[in-house]
Amino acid sequence: MTTEAPEAPSSRSGSGGSDFAQLTRRIVDEGLLDRRPGYYAARMALVFAAFLGGWYALFALGDTWWQLGLAAAMSVVFAQIGLLSHDLAHRQVFDRRVPSEIGGRIAANLLMGMSYGWWMNKHTRHHANPNHEERDPDVAPELLVWSQRQARKASGVARFIGRRQAYLFVPLLLLEGLNLSFNSFRALRGPVVKRPVLEGVLLVVHFLAYFGLVFAALPAGKAVAFIAVHQALFGVYLGSVFAPNHKGMLMVTPEMKLDFLRRQVLTSRNVRGGLLIDAVMGGLNYQVEHHLFPSMPTPALGRAARITREFCAEKGVAYYETGLFRSYREIFTHLHRTGEPIRSGG
């Protein structure tokens, strides 16, 4: 199966209701939407232990350039906190809003340094219209262009970067950690964050503690190097996890009419790889199932993938999955192809 965008089929319903309703019944019958408190308790304990252990190691190692290795390790820990924030936002951990928001703000704002409210608003809009050229904020042509239609209309920075965006994608990811922090603080002045004072206080506490601990443990030069390595690799890790989900898949235009199941399946890519990939990507390698059932706990996604794959085969819906490195190759190929109108002066 190729990654070329398939034709947009019309919505279809069987005698048992919509296609999505039929699939949902199979998922529910398997108990795959049931909460997994034991799994999340263990996962949170491991991530929090790694978080505390990293700060302890910062002082235990002392004045040495080996601290840059610790910075790399801590970038993984921060990304795992981000993945937990994602699951909390989708109510995969708790089925009620209040504990989900409390946990999300602790993980995102306090521990990681990103606004939970800002990211939640952005991510909710993405889930509603994945890869939609006009409605998905994740494919807005701000720095990169994601379709040739966007490329033809690009101007300013997007047009400048779009010429060589396949080569600039990874360097730009080095700045993604800073971008998340900048947008988090900027969003506090807008309407999307429901509790701006609370979130602002938590963000300030995070960064005071973050910079305070690093500069207390290290001389200024090593402290700056630690922060630079940590933030850069944190951005690359997050980008490497989220980019394979949709980039290079079907781009939806306003004239396309897709039902919910096809809108989610045709725009998403699953990544194979077993338990290691599951852990590294936090379950987001099952992107098709995550988009169909956002509140499904991570450990249920593998079984749901088998059911969904079989169901899509029955309905003639293109279901795509590939290996991790091939997914990156497809992303870079897509970025290069979409930038062609800019390079050719179109």
Side-chain angles (χ1 to χ4, degrees):
M1 186 183 300
T2 69
T3 56
E4 292 295 321
E7 293 287 340
S10 60
S11 303
R12 298 196 296 268
S13 297
S15 59
S18 70
D19 288 343
F20 179 64
Q22 295 175 46
L23 174 60
T24 300
R25 281 194 289 274
R26 298 188 189 184
I27 294 295
V28 171
D29 288 345
E30 292 286 333
L32 298 179
L33 295 178
D34 297 344
R35 294 292 173 269
R36 306 290 181 91
Y39 164 82
Y40 277 108
R43 181 174 163 189
M44 287 180 175
L46 287 172
V47 172
F48 190 59
F51 179 78
L52 293 179
W55 292 117
Y56 173 81
L58 179 70
F59 286 89
L61 283 173
D63 184 1
T64 171
W65 287 107
W66 287 108
Q67 293 279 11
L68 299 186
L70 177 62
M74 287 295 282
S75 72
V76 174
V77 175
F78 270 51
Q80 287 294 322
I81 292 172
L83 292 171
L84 276 174
S85 303
H86 170 272
D87 289 7
L88 285 159
H90 281 295
R91 299 193 192 180
Q92 296 176 20
V93 184
F94 306 108
D95 58 5
R96 293 186 296 121
R97 178 181 62 82
V98 172
S100 297
E101 289 185 351
I102 292 173
R105 289 191 179 103
I106 291 172
N109 292 65
L110 188 60
L111 300 184
M112 191 177 108
M114 180 187 75
S115 167
Y116 173 83
W118 163 73
W119 181 85
M120 179 77 168
N121 175 276
K122 177 175 177 287
H123 196 62
T124 299
R125 289 185 286 130
H126 158 70
H127 264 263
N129 292 283
N131 270 15
H132 193 290
E133 289 190 4
E134 297 181 359
R135 299 176 183 173
D136 182 358
D138 287 357
V139 293
E142 296 174 349
L143 290 179
L144 303 173
V145 292
W146 300 102
S147 71
Q148 292 195 350
R149 185 195 303 215
Q150 288 182 345
R152 293 186 186 98
K153 298 178 180 179
S155 61
V157 176
R159 189 169 186 85
F160 175 77
I161 292 178
R163 294 177 181 276
R164 295 289 182 269
Q165 61 181 15
Y167 303 100
L168 295 173
F169 183 64
V170 172
L172 286 172
L173 287 182
L174 295 170
L175 302 175
E176 182 60 18
L178 298 178
N179 180 56
L180 291 175
S181 299
F182 173 77
N183 282 310
S184 293
F185 278 105
R186 186 174 66 172
L188 297 178
R189 298 183 298 174
V192 302
V193 179
K194 296 179 180 178
R195 297 181 180 274
V197 175
L198 173 60
E199 293 214 17
V201 168
L202 291 174
L203 286 172
V204 170
V205 170
H206 166 82
F207 283 104
L208 286 176
Y210 177 79
F211 289 113
L213 289 171
V214 174
F215 278 94
L218 299 174
K222 289 188 176 69
V224 170
F226 180 97
I227 292 168
V229 170
H230 175 244
Q231 291 295 322
L233 295 183
F234 169 57
V236 171
Y237 187 165
L238 282 183
S240 69
V241 168
F242 281 92
N245 301 342
H246 304 281
K247 308 312 182 195
M249 296 300 292
L250 173 71
M251 290 291 292
V252 179
T253 57
E255 58 269 18
M256 289 183 181
K257 304 299 180 184
L258 298 172
D259 65 348
F260 178 79
L261 183 137
R262 288 164 179 79
R263 184 166 70 248
Q264 304 299 341
V265 174
L266 297 178
T267 60
S268 301
R269 175 197 289 108
N270 277 15
V271 176
R272 294 189 296 262
L275 293 177
L276 177 60
I277 295 299
D278 290 357
V280 169
M281 300 188 70
L284 294 183
N285 46 313
Y286 300 107
Q287 191 66 196
V288 172
E289 291 67 37
H290 171 61
H291 261 254
L292 289 170
F293 306 100
S295 65
M296 180 179 291
T298 296
L301 290 168
R303 172 59 180 157
R306 292 189 287 274
I307 295 172
T308 304
R309 190 185 308 114
E310 293 170 0
F311 182 85
C312 287
E314 294 172 13
K315 299 295 181 178
V317 178
Y319 179 105
Y320 187 67
E321 57 184 349
T322 188
L324 181 63
F325 293 108
R326 179 166 178 174
S327 73
Y328 295 145
R329 185 167 70 245
E330 292 167 358
I331 293 166
F332 293 129
T333 300
H334 174 75
L335 285 169
H336 186 71
R337 184 170 61 244
T338 55
E340 175 57 33
I342 300 175
R343 294 192 298 275
S344 63

